[in-house]
Each structure stands twice: as C-alpha cells, then as structure tokens.
Amino acid sequence: MALALSLAGFSLADDDEHHERQGYKRPKRLAVPSDAPLVWREECAACHMLYAPGLLPADAWREQMRTLADHYGSNASLDPLQEQEILDFLVRAPAANRLPTEPSPTAGEPPRISQTRWFERKHDEVSAAKFARESVGGRFNCVACHRDAERGDFDDDRVKIPR
Amino acid sequence: MKNHWIVLACCLSLPALAETEHPLLPGYAAQARLENPAFAGFSAERGQALYVAEEQRADKTMSCTTCHTADPRKAGKTPAHRKVEPLAPVANPERFSDAQKVEKWFRRNCDDVFARECTAQEKGDFITWISGLQ
C-alpha cells in the first residue's frame, strides 16, 4: 500500500517540493570536485561535454563504465588502468546523489541523464523543436544553454537557449 | 636577402623531409608482415580511400569524414557536438605522435565506421597518407 501511494505520488506530482517529501530530489551538489583526475576530464570530454559526476548516482556511472564498448552506439573503450581510475572517481564523487538508477527507455543502453524524471520535469517547458535546433544539438548538450554546465553550474537564472 | 636564404633552405630540405618515414610505420609494417607474408609496403592512395569509404551504420552513412570532415586539415565535430581538432599532422603536430593514443582511436573509430578492427596494413596506409599531407 505504501508503495502504491508513493508511486501515485511520483506520477501525479509536478513540483520539486512534493518530490522532495517523497525522497526524489533533483541532484543538487553538482560542482566538479577539485581533485577530479585529469584522465576523467580528458577522456570523457574528448567526444562530448564533461558531465558533472553529481548528475547520476554511483550505480548509474558503474553501468556507464561497464558498457563503454557500446556507448550509445559508439565504441568508447579505454585501457584498463584509465578505466579503473575514472570508475573510482565516478563512484566516489556523486556521494550526495542518492537517487535511484533510472534505466534508459531504450533497451540495451546505459542510463541517460536526460531520461531521468527530474530532467524531464526541469525541462518540461522546453519544446522538442528547441532541443532539435542545430545550435543546441540535443538533450545531451547541456552547455548549449547552461553555459557553465561543465563546472556543474545549472542555475535557472543563467539559462540562455540559443536561436 | 635573408628571406631568400630561408626560401632556399626550405626547398633544399623538402625532398629530405618527404622521404623521412613516419616513426610509427616500422611497427605497423612488422605487424602487417605477420598478418600477411605477402605484405608489399604501404600506400597513401589506399589510406585516402579508407578515409572516405562510406558504411551504413544504424540507418546512418558513416565514414571518417563524418567527424573529421572531408579535409582532415580542418577541425571537425563529434556526433555529440564536441570540436575535433584537425587530424592531419600538418595542421596539428600532436597527431600520430603517441602510439597508445593512435591505437585507442583506431580501435574505437574503425569499430564505429567499419564495425571491425582495422588491419596493420590499413593503419600503415592511413598514416602514410595523412602524415604526407601538406
């Protein structure tokens, strides 16, 4: 019964406050730790923007690192030593993120930051057309609108959606 | 007058430079010989053909040029919108200077485009072509 109630709460609620009472918060401590290893910065930012580790819980990062040979359709495999160093950082850094790991709706894919309930809720006013703009790139490209996203700054007041 | 000497010095050294083998090629040649006893050297033409070869991958046409552009002396862009610095050493001298990095990117990118590993022959052909671009 308690489970049924909490599930209903999730699907009906649409504001942060309600979710926080249910224990489902959007991740908040997103600043990139100052001891972040260079190998993480270099390897993860070679192909896409550098995602702050606090955006996903540790288990989701474990899943990411376990499936690097098929990383959303690309081979992103690493040498084992680098892989271990990055994994160690990614399971340590998001200690404040105690969210459940939310699987991607696409089968066989690791979790996506942009497919979490908090992401959906925070972006419910952004149309699919805006996400599809060439200047934006897609839901993966936080830096297009959150200029300092790579430092973990997602403040609403600094959002600017490019034309 | 000074400029004339610089121009002259460059002209004199060019043929010598062109004949200097890229430092990664002997290793790939040794590997290629193991893979194929009839190995007969590397070819820049085949290297260029590999660069522009197109494959159908998950309903998309993929080739090296998808991210590196048709001119590897220019910067490109990944599918995730990250800038890719030029691939040709003439435009970016760091390229093909670190054997481990070279292997890492051949491993990943040959898989992404051709759904397989590239052979030592192909890698050597490719380096022969791209390191010879001016």
PDB file of all heavy atoms in Angstrom, chain B residues 100-114:
ATOM      1  N   GLN B 100      50.031   4.896 -28.212  1.00  0.00           N
ATOM      2  CA  GLN B 100      48.875   4.388 -27.469  1.00  0.00           C
ATOM      3  C   GLN B 100      47.591   5.094 -27.871  1.00  0.00           C
ATOM      4  O   GLN B 100      46.542   4.478 -28.007  1.00  0.00           O
ATOM      5  CB  GLN B 100      49.099   4.571 -25.970  1.00  0.00           C
ATOM      6  CG  GLN B 100      49.680   3.334 -25.304  1.00  0.00           C
ATOM      7  CD  GLN B 100      49.727   3.504 -23.800  1.00  0.00           C
ATOM      8  OE1 GLN B 100      50.195   4.537 -23.303  1.00  0.00           O
ATOM      9  NE2 GLN B 100      49.258   2.513 -23.085  1.00  0.00           N
ATOM     10  N   LYS B 101      47.696   6.421 -28.033  1.00  0.00           N
ATOM     11  CA  LYS B 101      46.520   7.196 -28.464  1.00  0.00           C
ATOM     12  C   LYS B 101      46.095   6.777 -29.859  1.00  0.00           C
ATOM     13  O   LYS B 101      44.903   6.631 -30.146  1.00  0.00           O
ATOM     14  CB  LYS B 101      46.855   8.699 -28.475  1.00  0.00           C
ATOM     15  CG  LYS B 101      46.502   9.397 -27.192  1.00  0.00           C
ATOM     16  CD  LYS B 101      46.528  10.894 -27.401  1.00  0.00           C
ATOM     17  CE  LYS B 101      46.337  11.598 -26.071  1.00  0.00           C
ATOM     18  NZ  LYS B 101      46.506  13.046 -26.171  1.00  0.00           N
ATOM     19  N   VAL B 102      47.072   6.580 -30.717  1.00  0.00           N
ATOM     20  CA  VAL B 102      46.771   6.183 -32.093  1.00  0.00           C
ATOM     21  C   VAL B 102      46.018   4.853 -32.102  1.00  0.00           C
ATOM     22  O   VAL B 102      44.981   4.709 -32.762  1.00  0.00           O
ATOM     23  CB  VAL B 102      48.080   6.086 -32.919  1.00  0.00           C
ATOM     24  CG1 VAL B 102      47.825   5.452 -34.274  1.00  0.00           C
ATOM     25  CG2 VAL B 102      48.705   7.469 -33.083  1.00  0.00           C
ATOM     26  N   GLU B 103      46.502   3.903 -31.304  1.00  0.00           N
ATOM     27  CA  GLU B 103      45.837   2.592 -31.222  1.00  0.00           C
ATOM     28  C   GLU B 103      44.432   2.712 -30.644  1.00  0.00           C
ATOM     29  O   GLU B 103      43.493   2.067 -31.107  1.00  0.00           O
ATOM     30  CB  GLU B 103      46.673   1.633 -30.362  1.00  0.00           C
ATOM     31  CG  GLU B 103      47.747   0.917 -31.155  1.00  0.00           C
ATOM     32  CD  GLU B 103      47.151   0.023 -32.241  1.00  0.00           C
ATOM     33  OE1 GLU B 103      46.522  -0.984 -31.899  1.00  0.00           O
ATOM     34  OE2 GLU B 103      47.299   0.338 -33.443  1.00  0.00           O
ATOM     35  N   LYS B 104      44.296   3.558 -29.618  1.00  0.00           N
ATOM     36  CA  LYS B 104      42.980   3.733 -28.994  1.00  0.00           C
ATOM     37  C   LYS B 104      41.968   4.234 -30.010  1.00  0.00           C
ATOM     38  O   LYS B 104      40.866   3.705 -30.113  1.00  0.00           O
ATOM     39  CB  LYS B 104      43.069   4.717 -27.823  1.00  0.00           C
ATOM     40  CG  LYS B 104      41.714   5.021 -27.181  1.00  0.00           C
ATOM     41  CD  LYS B 104      41.832   5.972 -25.989  1.00  0.00           C
ATOM     42  CE  LYS B 104      41.963   7.404 -26.459  1.00  0.00           C
ATOM     43  NZ  LYS B 104      42.083   8.345 -25.332  1.00  0.00           N
ATOM     44  N   TRP B 105      42.364   5.246 -30.782  1.00  0.00           N
ATOM     45  CA  TRP B 105      41.395   5.845 -31.713  1.00  0.00           C
ATOM     46  C   TRP B 105      41.146   4.973 -32.932  1.00  0.00           C
ATOM     47  O   TRP B 105      40.032   4.934 -33.451  1.00  0.00           O
ATOM     48  CB  TRP B 105      41.809   7.268 -32.087  1.00  0.00           C
ATOM     49  CG  TRP B 105      41.587   8.188 -30.925  1.00  0.00           C
ATOM     50  CD1 TRP B 105      42.524   8.751 -30.114  1.00  0.00           C
ATOM     51  CD2 TRP B 105      40.299   8.621 -30.405  1.00  0.00           C
ATOM     52  NE1 TRP B 105      41.916   9.496 -29.134  1.00  0.00           N
ATOM     53  CE2 TRP B 105      40.573   9.439 -29.283  1.00  0.00           C
ATOM     54  CE3 TRP B 105      38.977   8.380 -30.768  1.00  0.00           C
ATOM     55  CZ2 TRP B 105      39.544  10.034 -28.530  1.00  0.00           C
ATOM     56  CZ3 TRP B 105      37.963   8.971 -30.026  1.00  0.00           C
ATOM     57  CH2 TRP B 105      38.256   9.788 -28.919  1.00  0.00           C
ATOM     58  N   PHE B 106      42.165   4.221 -33.400  1.00  0.00           N
ATOM     59  CA  PHE B 106      41.898   3.255 -34.481  1.00  0.00           C
ATOM     60  C   PHE B 106      40.905   2.206 -33.985  1.00  0.00           C
ATOM     61  O   PHE B 106      39.960   1.845 -34.685  1.00  0.00           O
ATOM     62  CB  PHE B 106      43.189   2.552 -34.933  1.00  0.00           C
ATOM     63  CG  PHE B 106      43.937   3.257 -36.039  1.00  0.00           C
ATOM     64  CD1 PHE B 106      45.301   3.485 -35.947  1.00  0.00           C
ATOM     65  CD2 PHE B 106      43.276   3.666 -37.198  1.00  0.00           C
ATOM     66  CE1 PHE B 106      45.999   4.116 -36.971  1.00  0.00           C
ATOM     67  CE2 PHE B 106      43.963   4.290 -38.232  1.00  0.00           C
ATOM     68  CZ  PHE B 106      45.338   4.518 -38.110  1.00  0.00           C
ATOM     69  N   ARG B 107      41.135   1.710 -32.751  1.00  0.00           N
ATOM     70  CA  ARG B 107      40.259   0.668 -32.201  1.00  0.00           C
ATOM     71  C   ARG B 107      38.803   1.145 -32.153  1.00  0.00           C
ATOM     72  O   ARG B 107      37.889   0.467 -32.616  1.00  0.00           O
ATOM     73  CB  ARG B 107      40.733   0.293 -30.794  1.00  0.00           C
ATOM     74  CG  ARG B 107      39.899  -0.787 -30.118  1.00  0.00           C
ATOM     75  CD  ARG B 107      40.378  -1.027 -28.686  1.00  0.00           C
ATOM     76  NE  ARG B 107      40.001   0.032 -27.770  1.00  0.00           N
ATOM     77  CZ  ARG B 107      40.843   0.654 -26.935  1.00  0.00           C
ATOM     78  NH1 ARG B 107      42.108   0.311 -26.892  1.00  0.00           N
ATOM     79  NH2 ARG B 107      40.411   1.617 -26.149  1.00  0.00           N
ATOM     80  N   ARG B 108      38.607   2.355 -31.615  1.00  0.00           N
ATOM     81  CA  ARG B 108      37.249   2.873 -31.470  1.00  0.00           C
ATOM     82  C   ARG B 108      36.627   3.245 -32.806  1.00  0.00           C
ATOM     83  O   ARG B 108      35.490   2.879 -33.109  1.00  0.00           O
ATOM     84  CB  ARG B 108      37.275   4.143 -30.624  1.00  0.00           C
ATOM     85  CG  ARG B 108      37.647   3.918 -29.188  1.00  0.00           C
ATOM     86  CD  ARG B 108      37.798   5.271 -28.543  1.00  0.00           C
ATOM     87  NE  ARG B 108      37.896   5.199 -27.097  1.00  0.00           N
ATOM     88  CZ  ARG B 108      37.937   6.271 -26.323  1.00  0.00           C
ATOM     89  NH1 ARG B 108      37.893   7.466 -26.855  1.00  0.00           N
ATOM     90  NH2 ARG B 108      38.026   6.148 -25.024  1.00  0.00           N
ATOM     91  N   ASN B 109      37.380   3.993 -33.595  1.00  0.00           N
ATOM     92  CA  ASN B 109      36.774   4.578 -34.789  1.00  0.00           C
ATOM     93  C   ASN B 109      36.606   3.575 -35.921  1.00  0.00           C
ATOM     94  O   ASN B 109      35.638   3.664 -36.689  1.00  0.00           O
ATOM     95  CB  ASN B 109      37.576   5.801 -35.251  1.00  0.00           C
ATOM     96  CG  ASN B 109      37.507   6.927 -34.220  1.00  0.00           C
ATOM     97  OD1 ASN B 109      36.815   6.813 -33.207  1.00  0.00           O
ATOM     98  ND2 ASN B 109      38.215   8.009 -34.472  1.00  0.00           N
ATOM     99  N   CYS B 110      37.525   2.603 -36.042  1.00  0.00           N
ATOM    100  CA  CYS B 110      37.318   1.559 -37.048  1.00  0.00           C
ATOM    101  C   CYS B 110      36.066   0.762 -36.690  1.00  0.00           C
ATOM    102  O   CYS B 110      35.289   0.373 -37.559  1.00  0.00           O
ATOM    103  CB  CYS B 110      38.544   0.644 -37.152  1.00  0.00           C
ATOM    104  SG  CYS B 110      39.970   1.482 -37.891  1.00  0.00           S
ATOM    105  N   ASP B 111      35.844   0.538 -35.389  1.00  0.00           N
ATOM    106  CA  ASP B 111      34.637  -0.164 -34.946  1.00  0.00           C
ATOM    107  C   ASP B 111      33.391   0.675 -35.269  1.00  0.00           C
ATOM    108  O   ASP B 111      32.394   0.148 -35.774  1.00  0.00           O
ATOM    109  CB  ASP B 111      34.741  -0.437 -33.436  1.00  0.00           C
ATOM    110  CG  ASP B 111      33.634  -1.367 -32.946  1.00  0.00           C
ATOM    111  OD1 ASP B 111      33.042  -2.072 -33.771  1.00  0.00           O
ATOM    112  OD2 ASP B 111      33.361  -1.364 -31.728  1.00  0.00           O
ATOM    113  N   ASP B 112      33.448   1.972 -34.986  1.00  0.00           N
ATOM    114  CA  ASP B 112      32.281   2.834 -35.236  1.00  0.00           C
ATOM    115  C   ASP B 112      31.921   2.909 -36.720  1.00  0.00           C
ATOM    116  O   ASP B 112      30.752   2.935 -37.083  1.00  0.00           O
ATOM    117  CB  ASP B 112      32.541   4.260 -34.726  1.00  0.00           C
ATOM    118  CG  ASP B 112      32.514   4.336 -33.199  1.00  0.00           C
ATOM    119  OD1 ASP B 112      32.105   3.347 -32.568  1.00  0.00           O
ATOM    120  OD2 ASP B 112      32.902   5.382 -32.659  1.00  0.00           O
ATOM    121  N   VAL B 113      32.933   2.963 -37.574  1.00  0.00           N
ATOM    122  CA  VAL B 113      32.659   3.150 -39.007  1.00  0.00           C
ATOM    123  C   VAL B 113      32.530   1.808 -39.734  1.00  0.00           C
ATOM    124  O   VAL B 113      31.585   1.609 -40.484  1.00  0.00           O
ATOM    125  CB  VAL B 113      33.760   4.013 -39.678  1.00  0.00           C
ATOM    126  CG1 VAL B 113      33.491   4.144 -41.183  1.00  0.00           C
ATOM    127  CG2 VAL B 113      33.826   5.391 -39.028  1.00  0.00           C
ATOM    128  N   PHE B 114      33.468   0.884 -39.480  1.00  0.00           N
ATOM    129  CA  PHE B 114      33.505  -0.352 -40.265  1.00  0.00           C
ATOM    130  C   PHE B 114      33.024  -1.578 -39.479  1.00  0.00           C
ATOM    131  O   PHE B 114      33.002  -2.688 -40.016  1.00  0.00           O
ATOM    132  CB  PHE B 114      34.931  -0.611 -40.776  1.00  0.00           C
ATOM    133  CG  PHE B 114      35.503   0.550 -41.558  1.00  0.00           C
ATOM    134  CD1 PHE B 114      36.559   1.301 -41.046  1.00  0.00           C
ATOM    135  CD2 PHE B 114      34.965   0.916 -42.784  1.00  0.00           C
ATOM    136  CE1 PHE B 114      37.080   2.375 -41.754  1.00  0.00           C
ATOM    137  CE2 PHE B 114      35.477   1.998 -43.500  1.00  0.00           C
ATOM    138  CZ  PHE B 114      36.536   2.732 -42.980  1.00  0.00           C
TER     139      PHE B 114
END
